[in-house]
Amino acid sequence: MKQPGVAVAPRSPSTLRSVAVPNEHGGWGLTGEPVLLGLLIAPSIAGVLLGLAAVGAFLLRQPLRVVLVDHHRGRDLARTQLARTVVLVEGAILVVLAAGATLLAGTRLWWPALAATPLVALELWFDRRSRSHRLAPELAGAVGVSAAAAMIMIAGAHASTEAAAAWLILGARVTTAIPHVRAQIARLHERPTSDRTLVAADLLAVVLAAAATVADRAFAAGAVAVVAVIAVQRFTADQRVAPKVLGIRQSVMGLSVVIATALGFHLA
């Protein structure tokens, strides 16, 4: 029993981990893919800073979510205070990285971030209400973070149309991937799934991939890769595999889209 006047023991590493480390394993890949694509097409020091900032933003979401949820529920716990501290520290690092990239590449690189702001805001709205695992916030967050590829490309002196096309390819990839992953996990737990949702997601992904090709034909290979991913997902839809295997499969397909897109762009 804690006695009056006795100092409270430091917070355990497990508490810090639960506050500071994201528990969405797939989020690492969804964050890394736009960073990798942007740097493969347009490597630059400013792009590296933006890539680090994208990873930092992904890490920041976990403590920010704790703060938002606790505030929404009207409580201020020890973990809330810890999360608030982590947000301030990681936020300061993000500001430094963003400032460095801006000094090197100019303010033009920020239009994709502005365009993605409503998507990020939607994700945080669901986070605050502890509903972050619904389809809408997952898609919004994944498409929003994909803007990092566009920002890195602009930082590397590429045209806005090329940056937009890269973003569209990645948007198409996550638009088809996330509903399919959710459906396969639901099947593992014998929960109902909606074929209409999957068909709609695949059709929207095809439209986004086609729009990328219209914006810049150098991204045609990326569009073909997205269609190939859709075909693979359809072919394996009825397979029941462990979540770990599913995650590895999606990582391979995501990396394939990134490599095909980058190679297609450089060879065009």
Side-chain angles (χ1 to χ4, degrees), residues 27-43:
W28 291 102
L30 294 176
T31 302
E33 287 171 21
V35 173
L36 180 59
L37 178 60
L39 292 176
L40 285 175
I41 293 178

Side-chain angles (χ1 to χ4, degrees), residues 14-262:
S14 59
T15 303
L16 179 61
R17 180 181 179 85
S18 67
V19 165
V21 180
N23 53 17
E24 301 96 341
H25 300 296
W28 291 102
L30 294 176
T31 302
E33 287 171 21
V35 173
L36 180 59
L37 178 60
L39 292 176
L40 285 175
I41 293 178
S44 69
I45 295 177
V48 172
L49 294 178
L50 289 171
L52 292 174
V55 175
F58 171 65
L59 293 172
L60 178 64
R61 184 190 169 203
Q62 176 65 17
L64 181 58
R65 178 164 46 193
V66 172
V67 172
L68 291 174
V69 168
D70 287 353
H71 181 269
H72 181 65
R73 296 180 178 178
R75 62 192 185 191
D76 193 0
L77 309 174
R79 73 159 195 169
T80 316
Q81 299 168 15
L82 177 60
R84 195 178 295 120
T85 299
V86 175
V87 167
L88 291 174
V89 172
E90 294 184 350
I93 295 173
L94 275 180
V95 169
V96 172
L97 292 170
T102 304
L103 288 174
L104 291 172
T107 58
R108 191 173 71 92
L109 62 85
W110 286 104
W111 75 254
L114 293 176
T117 297
L119 297 172
V120 176
L122 177 64
E123 181 183 38
L124 293 177
W125 187 89
F126 277 94
D127 280 352
R128 186 170 184 263
R129 288 156 179 78
S130 301
R131 299 175 181 175
S132 55
H133 293 298
R134 296 191 176 187
L135 178 59
E138 287 188 356
L139 279 176
V143 175
V145 77
S146 296
M151 296 178 69
I152 292 172
M153 288 184 62
I154 293 173
H158 282 259
S160 294
T161 52
E162 295 174 341
W167 189 2
L168 286 168
I169 290 293
L170 293 171
R173 179 285 197 268
V174 299
T175 296
T176 182
I178 290 176
H180 275 275
V181 170
R182 290 172 59 89
Q184 288 193 294
I185 291 177
R187 292 189 188 100
L188 281 176
H189 294 89
E190 298 184 350
R191 297 196 300 264
T193 60
S194 172
D195 289 336
R196 290 183 180 180
T197 299
L198 297 180
V199 171
D202 288 346
L203 289 176
L204 179 56
V206 171
V207 170
L208 293 175
T213 304
V214 170
D216 193 313
R217 286 188 291 181
F219 288 87
V224 171
V226 169
V227 173
V229 165
I230 293 173
V232 171
Q233 289 178 156
R234 282 289 171 183
F235 182 75
T236 59
D238 294 330
Q239 295 180 3
R240 294 188 174 229
V241 297
K244 183 177 181 179
V245 174
L246 184 59
I248 293 173
R249 181 183 293 172
Q250 282 294 329
S251 296
V252 170
M253 288 192 289
L255 185 60
S256 299
V257 170
V258 167
I259 293 175
T261 303

